[in-house]
Amino acid sequence: MSTMKTLMERLEAQKSEGSPHRALWEEAVRQLVDNVRAWLKVPEQRGLLQIDEQPLELSEPGLGTCRVPGLTITTETQTIWMRPLGVEKTLAGEAFRVEIWSTDAGFTLLYLTDGEWVLHDDSESPDDWPVVDENQFEKIMVKLVEA
Amino acid sequence: MTRERSKVPALFRPRSVIQAYDELSSVLRRTDLSDHAREENRTQAFLATFAAMEGVLREDMDGRLAAPANDVLTGRLRLLSNRARAKKADVSIDDILDAWRLQFTQFAHEIGKLRQYVEYRNWLAHGRCISRPRSGQPMDPHRVADISRRIASLIPTWPGI
């Protein structure tokens, strides 16, 4: 009687091949979401906005299913969504893409292999893409809220 | 940009076209054809099914933009629509597919597959007179139809569409 041994070995091998990258992307998105929540803590505590986190499953070729969070930020006049879009080839190589947008403005954040989230801008070279730190994120949020 | 669609007969509606080409390509696959004719049939079925799938998504977008909904997909389509209007252009099918990937993350892989074939579809639709895109062969029309039906099953019925 077949025990599916060969099939299981192949599936196990595929699973372990995908997991190092998957763990990297999952951790990177988790870190970004944690940073955003920390940066927005004061306005949230003052009741100026509300942050809701959604656990998501993202199917990616070669990676299997990534478990990554998304955010919905609600202000008095705007809803802002932050959602993972997946792995993409960019001018700077393979990157994990996250979109953040309201109905009038939107931005693309990329996680490159050097371990930093950057703000993607088509008009500039990858070296000029700004790192998404607290100051940069505040600029993004101001544009999203003003839109 | 809302288009006038109410006068399109039911047989030519995108969902009917997807069904028809799925049936047709099954029949022609069993018919004695030359390899070239068989490949050409596959290519045409892919093109028609892909175009119908685009029609389904554009109908849905019109419905969402006319509704007061404020979900992830509708919010993204509103942004795309506002950007396109500012440029006096249509929202591209690539952007619509990305919006769907953002909402239905569990189907991101399949929707992403369709997105890879946009360039190939454009090459076919414009008479194959530019260099052939890297995506090469057409996606199996049955696969396009399957994905389209799964996408269509997620679409609510919009009043007036």
Side-chain angles (χ1 to χ4, degrees), chain A residues 56-62 72 79 81 83-88 97 99-108, chain B residues 70-80 82-83 98-99 101-110 115-116:
Chain A
L56 301 169
E57 290 193 345
L58 180 74
S59 67
E60 269 292 318
T72 304
T79 302
W81 296 275
R83 289 288 185 278
L85 190 59
V87 181
E88 291 210 350
R97 179 175 163 191
E99 290 288 311
I100 181 164
W101 76 96
S102 65
T103 53
D104 295 308
F107 300 90
T108 298
Chain B
N70 197 30
D71 56 278
V72 170
L73 177 53
T74 308
R76 185 70 182 180
L77 292 172
R78 282 194 208 289
L79 168 65
L80 297 174
N82 290 338
R83 280 178 174 171
D98 271 353
R101 287 169 69 193
L102 288 164
Q103 166 81 45
F104 298 103
T105 52
Q106 68 275 37
F107 300 130
H109 176 40
E110 285 176 303
R115 198 182 181 286
Q116 285 175 10

Side-chain angles (χ1 to χ4, degrees), chain B residues 103-158:
Chain B
Q103 166 81 45
F104 298 103
T105 52
Q106 68 275 37
F107 300 130
H109 176 40
E110 285 176 303
I111 299 169
K113 271 274 173 205
L114 287 178
R115 198 182 181 286
Q116 285 175 10
Y117 282 91
V118 171
E119 201 183 351
Y120 183 78
R121 188 283 308 266
N122 292 342
W123 176 72
L124 289 174
H126 294 105
R128 311 175 200 192
C129 60
I130 48 175
S131 59
R132 190 171 177 148
R134 272 175 295 172
S135 44
Q137 296 300 310
M139 193 177 188
D140 185 342
H142 287 295
R143 181 111 192 264
V144 179
D146 280 346
I147 299 174
S148 302
R149 272 193 287 264
R150 289 183 68 179
I151 288 174
S153 72
L154 300 166
I155 295 176
T157 305
W158 300 106

Side-chain angles (χ1 to χ4, degrees), chain B residues 17-116:
Chain B
V17 172
I18 290 169
Q19 181 65 32
Y21 267 91
D22 203 21
E23 288 173 25
L24 189 62
S25 60
S26 294
V27 172
L28 289 175
R29 191 182 280 180
R30 295 192 297 269
T31 309
D32 185 22
L33 294 172
S34 68
D35 287 349
H36 181 238
R38 195 182 302 279
E39 187 57 28
E40 195 53 32
N41 165 63
R42 202 169 107 91
T43 301
Q44 294 304 325
F46 162 81
L47 183 60
T49 312
F50 199 100
M53 181 274 304
E54 180 174 347
V56 168
L57 294 181
R58 288 192 183 278
E59 277 190 345
D60 171 70
M61 181 170 73
D62 290 347
R64 286 178 191 276
L65 295 180
N70 197 30
D71 56 278
V72 170
L73 177 53
T74 308
R76 185 70 182 180
L77 292 172
R78 282 194 208 289
L79 168 65
L80 297 174
S81 175
N82 290 338
R83 280 178 174 171
R85 196 181 307 124
K87 292 180 186 171
K88 296 183 177 169
D90 259 337
V91 178
S92 74
I93 185 63
D94 304 70
D95 284 343
I96 295 173
L97 287 169
D98 271 353
W100 275 76
R101 287 169 69 193
L102 288 164
Q103 166 81 45
F104 298 103
T105 52
Q106 68 275 37
F107 300 130
H109 176 40
E110 285 176 303
I111 299 169
K113 271 274 173 205
L114 287 178
R115 198 182 181 286
Q116 285 175 10

